[in-house]
């Protein structure tokens, strides 16, 4: 692709089409300097079972590039997206592989890629999800992962006779997932008190101001350190002041935690701190945010722990609802899509919980989600023969 100075730039792009036993390959595209084949493979492998758990007709895949949108002009991002799609378009289609967004890929990037796909193929079809509502997108898609993580937490807590109402919650991240986790937490009567980004974290004991958060991250697209200009009573901790091996978000006492940033953000030390401070619920909005050691600690403590493949499946579930609307040339209102999302998250919880009971460990939703997701895919592969 050509940068604004007329120089040729080269990035590596990936699309891993992992398993289509249940439907077209489905999974996001990530634009971030850390992207490599290993990361895309592990995310794609996880995606197979997450998509299986939704109960919808979608297989598993993942893709992206080591291109970094940060610091690039809109014109540079457009030219990169067009170059990326000029190769990707040969491999995707509404019944073959339907990518979506992920880290670094939002509505702007999806728009540029969709436009290039249409230019190359001459077809107007639902080949990408996360599209703008004006040209084939779905209401609730922006909110879906964050809302879904909260719905999943509600289901876990309801089974224990608990509720999120009036409870202090911590959230990491400040992208789509975190913002709409915060929004839904307020809607169910909880008090989210933290958010974070790559430079640091905000702790606001009065509750994160949602309007300020959206202004900083969705409009200004800048750092959270600007939050304290509007809310001087809040506390900002830069990453340079984090204790070694720790994410300071998880040192804030809470009833429920929502890791919503990226993989491996919650360490064993963080898990010990959360448990010590009385956290009884962790619902993962990000993909595999807790390290294996942290997961072991949550399971041993028998808290309500919702692994990412179950708790954050609301995003991809709503992507499939977008595919359904595109295929039927339909448009559903917000309440319809939100109702379907809420029901899907309840079904994922029920399926994971009942499978965990079947295998003798009723509180272990990691076991339940893994087996329930795997079994459906494996059965489909067996039934479709040696192909």
């Amino acid at each position: 692709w050509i940068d604004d100075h007329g120089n040729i730039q080269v990035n590596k792009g990936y699309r891993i089409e992992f398993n289509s036993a249940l439907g077209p390959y489905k999974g996001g595209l990530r634009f971030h300097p850390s992207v490599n084949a290993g990361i895309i493979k592990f995310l794609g492998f996880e995606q197979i079972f997450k998509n299986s758990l939704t109960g919808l007709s979608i297989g598993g895949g993942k893709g992206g590039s080591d291109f970094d949108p940060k610091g690039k002009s809109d014109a540079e991002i457009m030219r990169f997206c067009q170059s990326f799609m000029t190769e990707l378009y040969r491999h995707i289609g509404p019944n073959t592989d339907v990518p979506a967004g992920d880290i670094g890929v939002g509505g702007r990037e999806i728009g540029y890629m969709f436009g290039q796909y249409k230019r190359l193929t001459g077809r107007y079809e639902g080949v990408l999800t996360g599209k703008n509502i004006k040209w084939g997108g779905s209401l609730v898609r922006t909110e879906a992962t964050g809302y879904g993580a909260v719905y999943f937490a509600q289901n876990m807590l309801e089974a224990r006779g608990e509720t999120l109402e009036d409870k202090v919650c911590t959230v990491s991240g400040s992208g789509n997932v975190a913002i709409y986790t915060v929004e839904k937490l307020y809607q169910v009567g909880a008090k989210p008190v933290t958010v974070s980004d790559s430079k640091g974290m905000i702790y606001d004991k009065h509750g994160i101001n949602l309007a300020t958060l959206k202004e900083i991250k969705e409009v200004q697209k800048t750092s959270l350190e600007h939050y304290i200009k509007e809310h001087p009573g809040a506390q900002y901790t830069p990453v340079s002041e984090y204790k070694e091996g720790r994410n300071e978000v998880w040192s804030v006492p809470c009833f429920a935690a929502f890791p919503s940033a990226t993989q491996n953000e919650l360490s064993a030390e963080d898990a010990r701190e959360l448990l010590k401070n009385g956290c009884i619920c962790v619902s993962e909005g990000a993909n595999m945010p807790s390290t294996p050691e942290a997961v072991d600690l949550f399971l041993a403590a028998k808290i309500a722990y919702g692994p990412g493949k179950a708790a954050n499946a609301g995003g991809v579930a709503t992507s499939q609802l977008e595919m359904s609307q595109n295929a039927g040339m339909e448009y559903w209102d917000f309440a319809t899509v939100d109702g379907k999302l809420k029901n899907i998250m309840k079904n994922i919880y029920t399926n994971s919980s009942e499978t965990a009971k079947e295998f003798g460990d009723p509180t272990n939703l990691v076991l339940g989600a893994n087996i329930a997701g795997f079994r459906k895919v494996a059965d489909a592969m067996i039934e479709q023969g040696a192909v």
Side-chain angles (χ1 to χ4, degrees):
W1 59 281
I2 309 294
D3 67 20
D4 286 343
H5 303 291
N7 298 317
I8 295 174
Q9 301 290 339
V10 178
N11 288 90
K12 185 166 277 195
Y14 303 87
R15 185 66 182 170
I16 305 293
E17 295 178 332
F18 226 126
N19 188 289
S20 61
L22 299 178
Y25 302 105
K26 187 89 193 80
L29 297 169
R30 175 176 294 192
F31 292 169
H32 192 271
S34 66
V35 165
N36 58 39
I39 285 176
I40 297 301
K41 283 180 181 179
F42 100 71
L43 289 170
F45 186 69
E46 180 85 348
Q47 194 80 40
I48 299 166
F49 309 111
K50 180 197 298 188
N51 293 358
S52 169
L53 281 170
T54 67
L56 304 170
S57 298
I58 38 179
K62 201 75 177 180
S65 172
D66 57 9
F67 171 79
D68 188 359
K70 283 186 180 173
K72 305 291 193 304
S73 69
D74 279 2
E76 287 177 321
I77 290 169
M78 180 182 75
R79 288 193 293 271
F80 172 77
C81 288
Q82 290 173 342
S83 181
F84 186 80
M85 183 53 76
T86 298
E87 178 56 37
L88 183 64
Y89 90 97
R90 310 167 201 280
H91 310 286
I92 62 176
N95 298 306
T96 307
D97 182 354
V98 185
D102 192 72
I103 294 170
V105 178
R108 172 183 57 180
E109 291 78 12
I110 293 290
Y112 292 150
M113 287 189 281
F114 183 81
Q116 183 72 350
Y117 178 87
K118 190 158 65 74
R119 172 200 258 174
L120 291 166
T121 65
R123 295 193 297 271
Y124 194 106
E125 54 195 12
V127 70
L128 291 164
T129 56
K131 299 185 293 298
N132 188 287
I133 202 69
K134 295 190 288 288
W135 38 273
S138 174
L139 290 169
V140 193
R141 178 60 191 92
T142 302
E143 297 87 349
T145 309
Y147 279 22
V150 177
Y151 290 148
F152 197 85
Q154 286 183 302
N155 280 292
M156 291 194 292
L157 291 168
E158 186 181 325
R160 295 166 178 249
E162 288 277 8
T163 172
L164 284 168
E165 194 167 351
D166 298 323
K167 302 296 198 307
V168 171
C169 299
T170 50
V171 180
S172 67
S174 52
N176 256 11
V177 181
I179 289 169
Y180 292 100
T181 296
V182 168
E183 181 169 283
K184 180 53 71 173
L185 285 170
Y186 277 127
Q187 289 177 9
V188 302
K191 184 164 82 168
V193 296
T194 65
V195 284
S196 64
D197 62 15
S198 59
K199 293 184 178 177
M201 66 158 280
I202 291 288
Y203 167 53
D204 190 336
K205 66 181 180 182
H206 302 296
I208 293 296
N209 186 290
L210 184 61
T212 303
L213 177 63
K214 286 185 174 182
E215 174 66 24
I216 289 170
K217 287 299 179 180
E218 294 186 334
V219 180
Q220 298 175 12
K221 300 184 189 297
T222 187
S223 164
L224 281 174
E225 55 197 329
H226 294 280
Y227 183 95
I228 52 174
K229 294 176 185 173
E230 298 287 326
H231 306 280
Q235 179 183 330
Y236 178 72
T237 307
V239 170
S240 59
E241 294 179 18
Y242 286 11
K243 296 184 183 73
E244 189 175 349
R246 294 288 309 280
N247 181 341
E248 289 302 308
V249 168
W250 313 125
S251 66
V252 176
C254 65
F255 173 84
F258 294 83
S260 306
T262 191
Q263 66 266 13
N264 299 321
E265 60 169 291
L266 198 161
S267 67
E269 284 301 309
D270 295 324
R272 289 188 190 97
E273 193 71 13
L274 279 169
L275 294 169
K276 185 180 82 175
N277 286 331
C279 177
I280 73 150
C281 174
V282 175
S283 186
E284 295 186 339
N287 287 312
M288 299 176 77
S290 304
T291 65
E293 296 79 15
V295 173
D296 289 343
L297 288 166
F298 293 146
L299 295 178
K302 296 193 180 302
I303 66 165
Y305 170 63
K309 69 164 57 69
N312 73 28
V316 74
T318 308
S319 280
Q320 200 277 348
L321 299 179
E322 182 176 330
M323 290 166 63
S324 296
Q325 291 169 79
N326 292 167
M329 297 286 188
E330 294 181 307
Y331 177 77
W332 301 337
D333 63 23
F334 193 98
T336 299
V337 182
D338 193 32
K340 288 177 183 288
L341 170 63
K342 194 170 188 178
N343 193 47
I344 288 166
M345 297 314 295
K346 183 175 180 62
N347 290 341
I348 293 172
Y349 169 75
T350 302
N351 195 6
S352 300
S353 176
E354 288 178 355
T355 305
K357 286 175 192 164
E358 179 187 344
F359 284 83
D361 197 349
T363 63
N364 189 338
L365 294 180
V366 176
L367 176 80
N370 282 340
I371 293 175
F374 174 83
R375 193 156 54 176
K376 186 176 178 186
V377 176
D379 286 349
M381 291 172 71
I382 292 164
E383 288 156 10
Q384 290 168 22
V387 294

